[in-house]
Amino acid sequence: MEGIANSRWLLTLCVPFSPLPQAWRAAMPRVVPFYAVKCNPEPGILKLLNALGAGFDCACKGELDMMLRMGVSPNRIIFAHPCKRASDIRYAREHNVQYTTFDTVSELHKIAQMNPDFKCVLRIRADDPDARVPLGLKYGAEVSEADVLLRTAKELGLQVVGVSFHVGSACQNLSTFSGAIVNARKVFDEAGALGFNMELLDIGGGFTGHFDEMGNVMFGVIANTINAALATNFPPEMGVRVIAEPGRYFAETSSTLLTPVYGQRDRVAADGSVKKDYWLTDGLYGSFNCILYDGQNPGYKVVRSPLMADSTDSRTFLSTLWGPTCDSADCVYKDVTLPVLRNGDWLMWNNAGAYTVAGACDFNGIEFTTPGKLYVWSDSAVDAAEEGADEQVMNA
Ligand SMILES: Cc1ncc(COP(=O)(O)O)c(C=O)c1O
C-alpha cells in the first residue's frame, strides 16, 4: 500500500480498454487504425495494439525506432509528419518505412533529395473549429493548393499515393469528417488526372474513446457519418485502402491517475472565511500538462486513504490544488469545492491516458515522466493477444 500511496498512476488496460479495438472494427470495418504513438507511448498500450494487429502513426525517428524495435513491420507504420527533420527521413529510409505525409513544396524538395522512394500522402486541411485542439493552422494544405503540390511532385518524379487529413483532436462536428472526405476525393481525382496511382485514404485522428453509462463507446454516430461518406466518395470498388490515426480513442480511457495529497495549508481571509491549499504529487509539468496543451479539464474523485480511519469531517471548502514544483504557476485547479482532505488521501482522475504523461517533463528534478504504474490486464485482452487475433480484430 505504501508503494501505491507514493505513486501517481494506475494503468487499467482492462475493462475500458479491451473492448475498444473490437468496437472500432464493428463500427468502421473498412478503416484500419494506425495508433498515434505520440498520444501515449506506454509500452502496455503499444504491445496490446500491436498484438491486435493495429498499425502505428509515428512522427519522428524516436517513435519509428520504438515501434520497429517492438517488431512492428515497416508496412504497418505511417510516418505521419508533414514536415520531417532530415535525420528522421534518413532513419525512415534506412529502415524501409515507406509511407509519409507532406503539405508543402519545401517538403517535396526535401523528400526528392533524401528519399525519392517515399510513398507520399498529401495532407489536406480539414479542421473542425470546435475541436479541442484544432491543427489546421499549422498542418494541412488547402484544397486549392493541391494542384501546385501535385504538379511539383510530378516534376520531381515523386510518387503521390494518397490523401490524409486530421479534423483536430476531440472533434465535435460530424460534418467536418464528411466534408474532409469529399475534399479528399476531389484531390484523388486531381492526382489521378495527373497520372498518380492513388491507393490510400488516411482519415487521421480526432475520435474520443469515452463510454456512456451503459459502457458503449460514444463514437458510433461519427462512425456512421464516416461510413456513409466513404460509401459515397470512396466506394469499395475503387480499391482504396482506408486507414485512420486515432490516438485519444485508444489511450484516453486506458489510464487512471492517482495523486496523493502530501501537504496543505489553511488561508484565513479578512472576513474569517477559510480557503484551503493542497499539494499533489503531480502537476502542470507532469501529466496535467494536458490542461495547458490539450485543453483538458480533467475530472476527479476523492479516494480516502485506506491507511487512515474514516474521515468524520463533513465540511467543504474552496480549495486550490497545487503541483509539486516550486513554480507558483504549477496550479492544477484554483478555488474548487472539496471536502476536507488529509495528507495521504488521494484524488483519482479517470480517463487520464491521452496527452498526459506523454507530454510530461522532469522539471525541478521530479520524476513526472516515470510515474509508478500498476497494470491491470483483462482476460479478454489477453485472449485476443494470445489468439493472434490480428486479422480478425483489426484488419478489414
Ligand atoms: C498527425 C496526427 N495524427 C494523429 C493524431 C492523433 O489525434 P487524436 O488523438 O485526436 O486521435 C495527431 C494528434 O495531434 C496528429 O497530429
Side-chain angles (χ1 to χ4, degrees):
M1 259 318 165
E2 269 88 348
I4 292 178
N6 288 327
S7 75
R8 298 185 291 279
W9 277 93
L10 287 182
L11 280 177
T12 52
L13 299 178
C14 57
V15 183
F17 188 74
S18 59
L20 287 176
Q22 285 90 334
W24 179 283
R25 184 182 64 121
M28 288 195 287
R30 281 187 67 190
V31 185
V32 179
F34 277 50
Y35 173 65
V37 174
K38 65 180 82 60
C39 183
N40 190 341
E42 156 58 41
I45 294 176
L46 299 176
K47 283 180 188 162
L48 178 60
L49 287 173
N50 185 25
L52 292 171
F56 295 91
D57 149 15
C58 299
C60 64
K61 178 178 161 179
E63 291 182 356
L64 291 170
D65 189 55
M66 200 185 310
M67 298 323 302
L68 292 170
R69 278 175 195 273
M70 209 171 270
V72 174
S73 151
N75 64 22
R76 279 209 277 139
I77 293 176
I78 179 158
F79 188 174
H81 198 312
C83 189
K84 289 164 283 297
R85 298 176 304 178
S87 58
D88 294 343
I89 297 182
R90 214 171 295 122
Y91 183 91
R93 185 187 64 210
E94 283 160 9
H95 293 83
N96 203 25
V97 174
Q98 293 177 12
Y99 288 85
T100 193
T101 55
F102 72 97
D103 61 2
T104 60
V105 167
S106 142
E107 188 71 2
L108 285 171
H109 284 283
K110 212 193 299 169
I111 290 173
Q113 200 187 351
M114 299 197 60
N115 188 8
D117 292 334
F118 259 148
K119 295 188 174 179
C120 303
V121 177
L122 172 50
R123 175 154 163 188
I124 56 170
R125 184 172 179 177
D127 43 335
D128 172 4
D130 296 329
R132 201 187 305 148
V133 187
L135 298 166
L137 262 186
K138 192 168 180 184
Y139 296 117
E142 302 293 348
V143 175
S144 57
E145 295 169 325
D147 183 56
V148 170
L149 290 165
L150 291 169
R151 285 178 193 280
T152 306
K154 197 81 200 163
E155 280 161 25
L156 292 170
L158 299 177
Q159 321 168 57
V160 178
V161 299
V163 173
S164 76
F165 59 79
H166 194 305
V167 292
S169 208
C171 167
Q172 303 286 326
N173 297 309
L174 296 176
S175 58
T176 314
F177 271 108
S178 28
I181 290 172
V182 169
N183 282 340
R185 176 60 198 261
K186 282 186 197 148
V187 176
F188 256 70
D189 290 344
E190 278 185 53
L194 287 172
F196 289 113
N197 182 18
M198 299 293 277
E199 39 117 339
L200 184 76
L201 172 66
D202 175 354
I203 64 170
F207 316 90
T208 61
H210 271 109
F211 291 81
D212 65 17
E213 63 281 5
M214 301 298 289
N216 300 312
V217 179
M218 295 189 295
F219 88 125
V221 207
I222 301 183
N224 292 342
T225 306
I226 290 172
N227 290 337
L230 288 177
T232 309
N233 298 283
F234 291 89
E237 55 274 19
M238 264 179 89
V240 171
R241 190 158 70 99
V242 187
I243 67 169
E245 299 167 3
R248 194 184 298 283
Y249 172 82
F250 285 116
E252 189 163 56
T253 53
S254 73
S255 308
T256 300
L257 175 65
L258 277 162
T259 52
V261 174
Y262 75 97
Q264 55 182 282
R265 159 179 69 199
D266 287 358
R267 278 247 157 105
V268 185
D271 64 0
S273 63
V274 175
K275 283 188 177 183
K276 289 193 173 274
D277 287 315
Y278 293 111
W279 276 259
L280 304 177
T281 52
D282 214 329
L284 294 196
Y285 290 93
S287 287
F288 292 116
N289 76 84
C290 65
I291 294 174
L292 295 179
Y293 293 126
D294 195 42
Q296 290 190 39
N297 192 14
Y300 53 85
K301 286 184 190 143
V302 173
V303 177
R304 293 298 181 183
S305 167
L307 303 176
M308 289 188 266
D310 287 348
S311 171
T312 50
D313 193 338
S314 59
R315 293 173 301 162
T316 58
F317 290 91
L318 277 186
S319 308
T320 293
L321 301 174
W322 297 104
T325 66
C326 296
D327 184 351
S328 63
D330 187 7
C331 175
V332 178
Y333 277 135
K334 206 163 171 36
D335 290 342
V336 289
T337 304
L338 279 172
V340 176
L341 301 176
R342 302 155 306 172
N343 289 355
D345 285 333
W346 299 334
L347 291 181
M348 183 172 87
W349 313 75
N350 287 328
N351 302 322
Y355 306 109
T356 47
V357 70
C361 72
D362 288 342
F363 174 62
N364 235 177
I366 297 178
E367 308 91 331
F368 292 120
T369 59
T370 50
K373 295 177 187 173
L374 186 73
Y375 293 85
V376 182
W377 190 253
S378 77
D379 282 350
S380 57
V382 173
D383 289 347
E386 281 177 356
E387 282 163 19
D390 310 14
E391 313 303 307
Q392 304 157 27
V393 178
M394 287 299 189
N395 294 341

